């Protein structure tokens, strides 16, 4: 039997991933937050191994404005799927059909899966399916992906439509001036469209809309471009609107007519009524932000204090036990000394200190997936949009920033939900400025030594400096390197829903797996390298005092760079280097290098390296400079290139340098 490829396309949050999981029996993450599926995923249809479905990112239109739209569009245009399964949220049918009309123009066999029929039914509304199918010229199958209803029939219909190559029966949804323009242009570009392998109708409509990629692909000659411009100008003139509005208008008036014929709506669905009630409180001008802050405090408290700390300690102890066991085992096996030290001081110390963060990561993602699946996170993004827009970001960037106060790694990973590449890049760059929890031990150490009486003040000022630098960077970057506007915030507020336990557990498991894998790859390697550098000298002799090590050499070599910031001591710069493996390492490195055995000794030793002012400048630098390797690796993966990740780290370190320099120099002037 011939292989069949299906594209699963639909609006964000229409239940695409839920349907994909039903069709393929796989376990992709379902979230009640628009934009969760950014990459495309594929799987074989259950019981029909010859058919493959590809879950495409959610989109509202086939115009190439966002990276999701481009992914989806390129896929259907270039991969020539045998069929399209267009999922339509029946509780939001008008807006969803806007995409359907554009998909129909592609002339690919297509089935509409009318989803969320359970909610439509529960509210006493109804949709005349045969009539809708007739109006649109494609088969329509009512389903409920959530309740697993109608899936078999959908599969049957999709397979039949694709095998028999049944193309949409009509694609002419237009009339009047738009109709004239589309047809005239279709005439002109018939040959080129065939040559470029673009569906003619799609090409013509996109030319009327002024779609650049289509224009480029068609390779029209000058005369043709000229005539097309003329036709479009005429149309705009006759209608008194611009080209894009004219087409949107045409589509919506068709949809309106069709829905008037097919949809009987007595009342809003129960979910919509409930959502409106909840929203009156949660997104209210007065209560919205206080409630949100309250919820976040609660989550951070539970994650980091109530459960996180004991679990992290438990994890630490477990790792410690294992470390001792391995240590004595190696002792008995008389394994050479350097190898023992590599395993214990290098690998166990490095990988172990990172692994101990596992409980916190899992907990944080547990809460975040609850917030996301319930639909609350979408409201928060909505409330924050206005503020973030001022620094060139959109409301969606808020979520990663917030997670950044916990840990940059999941924060950078969550930037994936941003639709535009520009927004994603800026967010990944700014997120590490939010002081993460791994930096807390550093603050603790410096405060203990220099500011025991101004604890809170120093803490708060460090956090605020991070936020201020992020705001300033946002302002500068969105006017220079990342020019352009954040994508308009078209996010539909999804209905509040009870999170599905399976989906929450699945997400936690995914994150845990990801994190553990990273600990045993990049951090594993980094730990070995650092250990090597601090244990050997250039002639590869093992050193007794780490002051003679290669690491110390590098430290002293770069130490002068930090002299203008007030801390030109080689031990400080070495700690900053090792801090890149994990920020807590700054503390352990300073402890090892000063040979301090107790906290009091450490404070004393630090007083020889720093003055209170240079200690504060050091703090400022540690908050801002490039994040740890785990976060760096995450940003490399999310940015998709080494170059992007390295430039990002350089910017962050540069910002840290400049800020610490200003703090130290101005501070010296004042204190003189
Ligand atoms: P996607 O963004 O299009 O991939 O949508 P998801 O599959 O992530 O689903 C969005 C939300 O709709 C989730 O909260 C699902 O649980 C919910 N959902 C999906 N299908 C149905 C359905 O048929 N009925 C109901 N009531 N909810 C559904
Ligand atoms: Mg999805």
């Amino acid at each position: 039997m011939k292989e069949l490829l299906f594209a699963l396309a639909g609006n964000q949050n229409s239940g695409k991933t839920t349907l994909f999981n039903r069709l393929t029996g796989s376990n992709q993450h379902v979230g009640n937050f628009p934009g969760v599926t950014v990459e495309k995923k594929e799987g074989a249809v259950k019981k029909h191994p010859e058919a493959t479905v590809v879950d495409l990112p959610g989109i509202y239109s086939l115009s190439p404005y966002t990276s999701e739209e481009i992914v989806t569009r390129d896929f259907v245009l270039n991969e020539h799927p045998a069929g399209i399964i267009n999922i339509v949220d029946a509780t939001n049918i008008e807006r969803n059909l806007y995409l359907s009309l554009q998909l129909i123009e592609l002339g690919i066999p297509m089935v509409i899966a009318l989803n969320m029929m359970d909610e439509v039914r529960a509210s006493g509304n109804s949709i005349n399916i045969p009539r809708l199918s007739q109006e649109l010229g494609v088969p329509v199958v009512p389903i409920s992906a959530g309740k697993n209803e109608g899936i078999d029939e959908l599969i049957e219909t999709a397979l039949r439509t694709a095998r028999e190559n049944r193309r949409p029966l009509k694609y002419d949804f237009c009339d009047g001036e738009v109709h004239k323009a589309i047809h005239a242009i279709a005439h002109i570009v018939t040959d080129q469209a065939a040559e470029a392998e673009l569906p003619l109708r799609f090409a013509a409509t996109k030319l009327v809309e002024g779609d650049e990629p289509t224009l480029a692909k068609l390779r029209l000659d000058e005369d043709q471009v000229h005539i097309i411009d003329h036709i479009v100008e005429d149309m705009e003139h006759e209608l008194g609107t611009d080209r894009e509005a004219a087409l949107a208008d045409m589509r919506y008036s068709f949809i309106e007519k069709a829905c008037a014929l097919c949809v009987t709506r007595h009342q809003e669905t129960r979910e919509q009524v409930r959502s409106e009630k909840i929203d009156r409180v949660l997104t209210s001008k007065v209560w919205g932000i206080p409630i949100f802050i309250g919820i976040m405090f609660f989550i951070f408290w539970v994650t980091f204090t109530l459960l996180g700390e004991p679990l992290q300690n438990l994890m630490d102890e477990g790792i410690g036990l294992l470390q001792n066991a391995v240590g004595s085992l190696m002792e008995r096996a008389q394994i050479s000394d350097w190898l023992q030290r590599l395993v214990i001081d290098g690998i166990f110390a490095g990988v172990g200190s990172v692994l101990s963060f596992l409980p916190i990561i899992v907990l944080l993602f547990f809460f975040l997936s609850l917030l996301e699946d319930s639909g609350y996170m979408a409201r928060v993004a909505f409330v924050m949009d206005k503020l973030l827009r001022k620094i060139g970001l959109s409301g969606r960037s808020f979520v990663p920033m917030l997670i950044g106060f916990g840990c940059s790694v999941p924060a950078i990973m969550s930037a994936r939900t941003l639709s535009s590449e520009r927004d994603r890049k800026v967010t990944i760059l700014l997120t590490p400025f939010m002081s993460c929890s791994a930096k807390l031990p550093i603050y603790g150490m410096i405060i203990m030594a220099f500011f025991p009486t101004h604890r809170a003040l120093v803490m708060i000022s460090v956090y605020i400096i991070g936020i201020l630098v992020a705001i300033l960077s946002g302002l500068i970057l969105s006017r220079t390197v990342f020019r352009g506007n954040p994508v308009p915030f078209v996010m539909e507020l999804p209905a509040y829903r009870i999170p599905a336990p399976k989906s929450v557990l699945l997400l936690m498991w995914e994150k845990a797996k990801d994190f553990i894998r990273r600990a045993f790859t990049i951090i594993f390697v980094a730990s070995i390298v650092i250990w090597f550098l601090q244990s050997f000298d250039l002639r590869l002799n093992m050193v007794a005092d780490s002051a003679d090590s290669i690491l110390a050499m590098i430290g002293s070599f770069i130490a002068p760079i930090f002299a203008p910031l007030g801390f030109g001591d080689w031990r400080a710069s070495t700690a900053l280097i090792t801090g890149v493996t994990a920020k807590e390492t700054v503390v352990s490195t300073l402890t090892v290098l000063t040979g301090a055995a107790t906290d009091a000794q450490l404070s004393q030793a630090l007083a020889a390296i720093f003055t209170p002012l240079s200690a504060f400048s050091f703090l400022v630098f540690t908050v801002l400079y490039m994040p740890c390797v785990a976060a760096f690796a995450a940003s490399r993966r999310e940015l998709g290139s080494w170059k992007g990740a390295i430039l990002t780290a350089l910017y962050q370190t540069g910002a840290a340098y400049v800020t610490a320099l200003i703090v130290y120099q101005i501070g010296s002037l004042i204190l003189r």
Side-chain angles (χ1 to χ4, degrees), residues 10-21 29-37 55-56 58 87 115-119 143-148 271 372-374 494-495 497-500:
N11 282 188
Q12 291 176 351
N13 230 36
S14 56
K16 242 178 334 81
T17 302
T18 313
L19 176 59
F20 178 80
N21 289 344
H29 170 56
V30 174
N32 195 10
F33 187 91
V36 167
T37 311
D55 182 17
L56 295 167
I87 182 165
N115 193 31
M116 315 246 182
M117 284 305 285
D118 56 318
E119 289 191 10
I143 64 164
S144 166
K147 301 243 158 24
N148 203 7
E271 282 75 6
E372 183 194 303
D373 279 9
S374 64
R497 292 191 170 97
I498 311 272

Side-chain angles (χ1 to χ4, degrees), residues 260-496:
L261 290 171
C262 311
V263 182
T264 333
R265 199 174 281 132
H266 304 292
Q267 57 183 46
E268 292 183 298
T269 66
R270 256 190 335 207
E271 282 75 6
Q272 282 163 346
V273 176
R274 189 178 60 194
S275 291
E276 268 166 40
K277 274 198 199 130
I278 302 177
D279 269 344
R280 239 171 280 155
V281 183
L282 291 188
T283 60
S284 87
K285 284 214 178 74
V286 185
W287 292 111
I289 293 185
I291 290 178
F292 168 68
I293 293 176
I295 291 176
M296 284 329 288
F297 256 107
F298 177 76
I299 289 178
F300 279 141
W301 176 69
V302 174
T303 309
F304 290 105
T305 312
L306 185 70
L307 294 175
E309 216 175 274
L311 283 176
Q312 191 171 10
N313 289 340
L314 211 67
M315 193 86 184
D316 252 347
E317 269 169 41
I319 294 169
L321 285 180
L322 188 66
Q323 180 176 343
N324 289 343
V326 172
S328 56
L329 210 71
M330 289 192 301
E331 193 94 30
R332 239 176 300 149
Q334 293 185 331
I335 288 172
S336 61
D337 188 45
W338 71 268
L339 192 61
Q340 284 192 31
R341 278 174 60 184
L342 168 65
V343 172
I344 300 297
D345 302 342
I347 297 171
F348 265 100
V351 175
S353 73
V354 173
L355 266 190
S356 67
F357 279 92
L358 183 66
I360 285 183
I361 303 268
V362 171
L363 276 171
L364 202 60
F365 269 98
F366 168 73
F367 284 112
L368 288 170
S369 73
L370 285 189
L371 290 190
E372 183 194 303
D373 279 9
S374 64
Y376 180 60
M377 207 55 116
R379 270 77 186 176
V380 176
F382 177 75
V383 172
M384 291 296 168
D385 184 56
K386 227 187 262 151
L387 295 175
L388 285 172
R389 204 155 280 281
K390 297 211 168 90
I391 59 165
L393 288 171
S394 86
R396 291 217 190 152
S397 305
F398 181 70
V399 181
M401 299 269 176
L402 190 76
I403 305 175
F405 284 111
C407 175
S408 301
V409 174
I412 288 169
M413 273 151 52
S414 72
R416 212 179 265 202
T417 57
L418 302 182
S419 63
S420 95
E421 201 163 308
R422 172 194 170 278
D423 291 14
R424 197 154 55 226
K425 281 182 180 159
V426 180
T427 308
I428 290 173
L429 197 145
L430 299 187
T431 298
F433 287 142
M434 307 297 123
S435 171
C436 77
S437 64
K439 292 171 191 161
L440 288 172
I442 312 178
Y443 309 158
M445 172 184 73
I446 297 286
I447 286 173
M448 185 181 68
F450 297 98
F451 312 103
T453 50
H454 294 93
R455 212 185 146 81
L457 182 70
V458 173
M459 280 297 267
I460 292 172
S461 58
V462 167
Y463 274 87
I464 290 182
I465 286 175
I467 296 171
L468 285 180
V469 170
I471 293 176
L472 207 69
S473 301
L475 286 173
I476 295 171
L477 291 172
S478 62
R479 276 160 187 72
T480 51
V481 190
F482 297 106
R483 224 180 277 260
N485 288 318
V487 287
F489 199 53
V490 287
M491 187 160 82
E492 185 82 8
L493 291 186
Y496 286 102

Side-chain angles (χ1 to χ4, degrees), residues 116-131:
M116 315 246 182
M117 284 305 285
D118 56 318
E119 289 191 10
V120 173
R121 238 179 298 124
S123 60
N125 299 337
S126 67
I127 296 174
N128 183 338
I129 307 284
R131 187 70 202 260

Side-chain angles (χ1 to χ4, degrees), residues 21 30 67 112 217 229 265 325 340 435 575 589 603 633 638 654 665:
N21 289 344
V30 174
S67 45
I112 288 184
K217 226 171 165 184
D229 282 345
R265 199 174 281 132
Q340 284 192 31
S435 171
T589 305
S603 294
E638 298 300 324
Q665 294 300 336

